[in-house]
Amino acid sequence: MQPHSRRTFLALGLITLTTACTSSPESDPRSDVMPGNKGPGPDPDDPARLRAIAATDTLLAAYDTALATAGAQTALLRPLRADTAQHRAALAYGIPAASVPPAPTTPAATPTHTPATLAALERQTAQAHLTDLGAVQPPLARLLASVATSNTLHAAVLGAPLDDQPTPTTPPPPSATPAPATSTPGTSLPALQNALSAEHAAVYGYGVVGAHLPEDQQRADARTFYAAHQSQRDAWQRLLITLGATPTPAAGGYQLPFAVTDAPTATKLAAHLETRLTTVYADLVAALPAPQRPAAATALRDCALRAHHWGAPDTPFPGIPEPVPTPTVTRQS
């Protein structure tokens, strides 16, 4: 096995990703989670954020209605409702308090919500967030993609099938003001190369995973996910070539984050790889120009669903690892 380069370790998440390795406020994951304008004047993203808050409030009210009569399902619904409340807090951060409608506090009288109707509403909310993906500035695009992914995970927990998920087509609504062109294909090349390196590592990692799984459904799933990562790797290579860049080649070998000796450690590796990739793709959403964000948002969603499949814990903000503190300061009008 050849000596491992820094890129080799980076792709497997053994050192801090280049997109988050500085200590400046702009690279603090919490700054990206709560992307409110800290300067004077209105934030051009506020209309999109208010739309996202409204959709989240509808979801919160539905959870409150369901919880009022949940009974044995309370343990299932409460964590999902808590995640949704965190989504609202992050979306509302920095907006003048007078501009944000109050959060729902009492259950609506109708309709009665079941896990199935809540799953459908989670998917609807995810699609609403993705619709604005191309009309906002990069930090909010990253947050919207992450929250939409969390909505999709909630739908899966509630029993929604995984083969028919919301797709981020991102046509901006007629009233939306397009975000300034803060990134171009050229400036996003490092993030694309990082995503390609991570996919090279994932393909290698799944080879290890499959070799330690029994010949059963788990190995079949590993083969399916291995092929998905090969396809995503090839897609990034084609895009980089189209942009006039030379795709980063795969390394000669990769250092695993821990020893893989049996089926439990193999599934742990698969969960690790997919979880690390969610961070790569959340960062890529912010790095890419608006027309290319849907591909990164889709990759973020798919990796989060695969991580969930392998038993990784779900988080309120997939791909954004820092916890979200309760906002205490709002921007002045």
Side-chain angles (χ1 to χ4, degrees), residues 9-301:
F9 288 90
L10 180 70
L12 280 174
L14 298 184
I15 61 173
T16 306
L17 293 170
T18 54
T19 51
C21 66
T22 67
S23 59
S24 66
E26 291 79 3
S27 66
D28 184 340
R30 290 173 293 180
S31 298
D32 284 349
V33 170
M34 301 177 295
N37 180 10
K38 306 304 186 293
D43 187 334
D45 282 348
D46 281 356
R49 293 169 69 203
L50 288 169
R51 285 191 293 273
I53 291 167
T56 302
D57 281 347
T58 299
L59 187 56
L60 281 170
Y63 273 111
D64 288 341
T65 301
L67 282 165
T69 56
Q73 295 177 331
T74 298
L76 171 68
L77 300 183
R78 281 200 184 280
L80 305 183
R81 202 272 182 199
D83 285 354
T84 306
Q86 290 195 57
H87 298 164
R88 189 188 198 278
L91 291 164
Y93 179 81
I95 300 180
S99 302
V100 182
T105 57
T106 57
T110 57
T112 300
H113 285 284
T114 66
T117 62
L118 287 170
L121 189 55
E122 286 277 12
R123 291 159 62 106
Q124 177 182 323
T125 306
Q127 190 64 66
H129 294 332
L130 293 171
T131 297
D132 271 326
L133 199 63
V136 298
Q137 297 175 88
L140 182 56
R142 180 175 183 248
L143 175 59
L144 289 174
S146 177
V147 172
T149 295
S150 181
N151 293 139
T152 302
L153 286 168
H154 287 182
V157 170
L158 291 163
L162 300 183
D163 57 355
D164 182 21
Q165 299 299 335
T167 301
T169 55
T170 66
S175 60
T177 300
T182 54
S183 62
T184 65
T187 60
S188 62
L189 286 178
L192 280 169
Q193 295 282 21
N194 189 50
L196 175 57
S197 293
E199 288 294 353
H200 283 315
V203 169
Y204 175 91
Y206 265 98
V208 176
V209 169
H212 288 86
L213 292 176
E215 193 65 58
D216 59 9
Q217 186 59 48
Q218 279 195 324
R219 179 173 284 190
D221 291 340
R223 288 195 188 102
T224 298
F225 299 159
Y226 174 81
H229 285 294
Q230 285 181 313
S231 178
Q232 188 64 76
R233 175 203 62 191
D234 295 346
W236 295 139
Q237 287 176 328
R238 289 192 298 269
L239 178 57
L240 284 161
I241 291 170
T242 299
L243 296 175
T246 300
T248 300
Y254 290 85
Q255 176 68 52
L256 299 178
F258 46 80
V260 178
T261 58
D262 53 20
T265 52
T267 58
K268 180 181 176 183
L269 176 61
H272 170 86
L273 292 170
E274 299 291 0
T275 300
R276 290 301 307 175
L277 278 164
T278 63
T279 303
V280 170
Y281 285 128
D283 291 344
L284 188 59
V285 170
L288 287 174
Q292 296 172 330
R293 288 174 185 167
T298 298
L300 167 60
R301 178 204 67 197

